[in-house]
Each structure stands twice: as structure tokens, then as C-alpha cells.
Amino acid sequence: MNAKTKILIVDDEPINRDFFDVMLSKLGFQVNKAEDGEEALEKLKNDRPDLIILDNIMPKMSGWKLTKILKTSDDYGEFSDIPIIMFSAMDDVKDKIEGFELGVEDYITKPFNFSEVLARIRAVLRSRELSRQVVQKERKIASIESLNQSLIYFTQHLKEPVESLQKRVETLDVSSKKEIQDFVEAVQVETKQVLVTLHSLEDEIRDLQKRPELQEDADADLLEDLEKRFQRHFSSWKENQEVPEVSS
């Protein structure tokens, strides 16, 4: 498990807090401790853990109440996704079901075996990481889909003025200075509109590249390659934004 994984131990018994501090620290976890629910809430504000292990029966604030606050309170909404493993002296199926419904990821009855606890800790952390990866993948798909829709939109937006100019070229009377002048003016107008559209597309590609879900990933390379192709194909448009007028 990652050495930087942070675990908050919440228990009113010093011997339990110290035991988990020693055992988990030796295994490479970063351990923080709180002796009741109120102190745990203060600890959360200063140092967000990856996992919370807490006792149920504690003074000031029980494990149940702490869990309910973290999972349902808007004031602590940013912490609602932190997984919780709860200890309890109660061995009642109903209590465990209520714990799971409240948002507890796992439930261990005292007295406990540390090897079992460690296995459950690792299982919960693996599950959390898999969930994170699923969310990240969904965001990647949404980002790529957004780019795909934008490309379709911009392609259609660019196609119409280009086709319009092409049709005018086919019927253009090159001997008429007036027609040529009108055509040049039309080209100037359409070119500016096309450049605006291209700049918008370029900005969107760069915005997608900055999204966290696409950083250090093959999808980021795809976007970078797309931008390079974009720059190569349309560089001539940028270098020749003004079309010279034909003198009358």
C-alpha cells in the first residue's frame, strides 16, 4: 500500500489508538489519532485522511453520529467520500446493516484480530481506488465525447462558408473588377469568421489538455497530437488573415 496513505484512528481508549499507531506506522501508513468524534472533525479540517477507523461508543460524539455527519451534512460534504471502518463491541446483524446503510464501508466487532483488520483496511482502500479509477475513466470518456461533439460542430460550421465561396468562384467573372472586389470582400469576412471558429476550437483543445483526468495519460498525448495537426493544417490561415483588396 502507498506509504503516503493516511489513516485517522478515532477511539477513546488510548491503548487502542497507540496500538494502531504503532502497527500501521510500521506498515508504512501515515497515522493520525483522535479520542472522540469532535476531535476527529477538527483533525479532518487540517489533514484529510484516506481512511477513517473509528469506535462506535465514545464520549461527546459516537461513531454513529460522526459517520452521519460526514455522510449527510453539507458542512462536511467534501469528506463524504472518505471510507469508514467501524469498530463495535456489539455483534448484532441489525446494527451492522444500519451501519452499512449509514455509509460505513466495513464493520469489525471487538475483540478483533489485527491480521483481519489489516486485510479489511487493504480491501477498503483497494475498493476506494477502483472507484476513483472508474470515476476518472468516466470523466475521460466525457471529455473525449465533448471534444468529438465540438469537432463535429466546428467542422459543420466551417464547411458552409467554404462551400459558399467555392460556388462563387465557379461563377466568378474574372473580367469584372466589381465581382472580384465583392468576392475579395466576402473572402475577408468569411476568413475572419473561420479564424474565430478555429481559435475557439484551439482553446477548447487546450482546455481539455489541462483537465486533471487527462494529465499524464495516453489521452493527453492524443490531444497534444491533435493540436499539433491543427496547428499544421491551419497555420496558413493565421499567417494570412488579411486578403489584399483589388484596386478598382
Side-chain angles (χ1 to χ4, degrees):
M1 201 61 64
N2 193 315
K4 295 182 179 180
T5 299
K6 300 177 182 179
I7 298 179
L8 175 61
I9 306 296
V10 188
D11 197 314
D12 61 319
E13 294 291 340
I15 189 172
N16 290 335
R17 295 196 304 272
D18 293 341
F19 172 75
F20 278 101
D21 188 3
V22 171
M23 298 299 289
L24 293 175
S25 295
K26 286 182 178 180
L27 293 171
F29 294 98
Q30 182 177 330
V31 180
N32 202 353
K33 299 178 289 182
E35 63 181 36
D36 56 58
E38 292 183 358
E39 185 181 1
L41 290 178
E42 291 299 320
K43 296 277 187 179
L44 283 170
K45 295 177 181 178
N46 299 322
D47 191 18
R48 179 190 176 93
D50 299 297
L51 172 67
I52 299 173
I53 300 176
L54 75 158
D55 192 16
N56 181 26
I57 302 174
M58 296 184 293
K60 297 184 180 179
M61 183 183 295
S62 68
W64 291 110
K65 187 172 181 180
L66 175 60
T67 299
K68 186 174 182 179
I69 290 174
L70 294 179
K71 298 299 183 180
T72 63
S73 173
D74 292 337
D75 293 336
Y76 292 88
E78 61 181 297
F79 306 112
S80 62
D81 63 334
I82 299 177
I84 294 174
I85 296 178
M86 182 177 288
F87 290 126
S88 177
M90 298 177 293
D91 189 13
D92 189 293
V93 173
K94 181 180 178 181
D95 289 326
K96 290 184 178 182
I97 292 175
E98 290 178 354
F100 286 127
E101 290 178 345
L102 192 60
V104 174
E105 270 69 25
D106 208 344
Y107 196 105
I108 298 175
T109 304
K110 292 181 179 180
F112 50 79
N113 178 283
F114 182 73
S115 296
E116 177 188 355
V117 174
L118 180 59
R120 292 179 181 272
I121 289 173
R122 287 173 169 162
V124 168
L125 290 173
R126 279 196 302 269
S127 177
R128 182 175 185 269
E129 176 60 19
L130 288 173
S131 297
R132 187 193 67 80
Q133 291 177 7
V134 168
V135 171
Q136 186 178 41
K137 180 60 66 176
E138 290 176 346
R139 288 175 178 170
K140 288 179 184 178
I141 293 172
S143 296
I144 297 301
E145 179 63 23
S146 174
L147 176 60
N148 182 52
Q149 293 299 323
S150 295
L151 287 173
I152 293 173
Y153 169 79
F154 286 123
T155 299
Q156 293 173 341
H157 197 69
L158 293 172
K159 185 177 180 181
E160 183 176 343
V162 172
E163 288 181 340
S164 176
L165 290 174
Q166 185 179 27
K167 289 180 180 179
R168 292 190 63 172
V169 167
E170 294 172 354
T171 60
L172 182 65
D173 182 359
V174 295
S175 65
S176 171
K177 290 185 178 181
K178 179 66 168 60
E179 283 196 35
I180 293 177
Q181 181 64 44
D182 291 343
F183 178 72
V184 169
E185 291 176 355
V187 170
Q188 289 176 327
V189 172
E190 296 297 350
T191 298
K192 290 179 181 179
Q193 293 179 351
V194 167
L195 284 171
V196 169
T197 302
L198 293 178
H199 282 303
S200 297
L201 177 58
E202 184 178 31
D203 290 341
E204 179 154 354
I205 292 174
R206 288 177 176 172
D207 179 65
L208 284 171
Q209 285 179 309
K210 295 177 183 178
R211 294 188 182 182
E213 63 268 20
L214 295 178
Q215 294 298 315
E216 299 180 359
D217 189 88
D219 292 328
D221 294 335
L222 181 150
L223 290 175
E224 183 177 356
D225 180 63
L226 180 60
E227 183 178 11
K228 288 179 179 178
R229 293 185 183 188
F230 171 87
Q231 294 285 359
R232 185 169 62 251
H233 287 302
F234 298 109
S235 59
S236 60
W237 286 90
K238 294 182 178 181
E239 294 171 359
N240 301 282
Q241 292 187 21
E242 294 298 331
V243 179
E245 295 185 0
V246 177
S247 59
S248 57

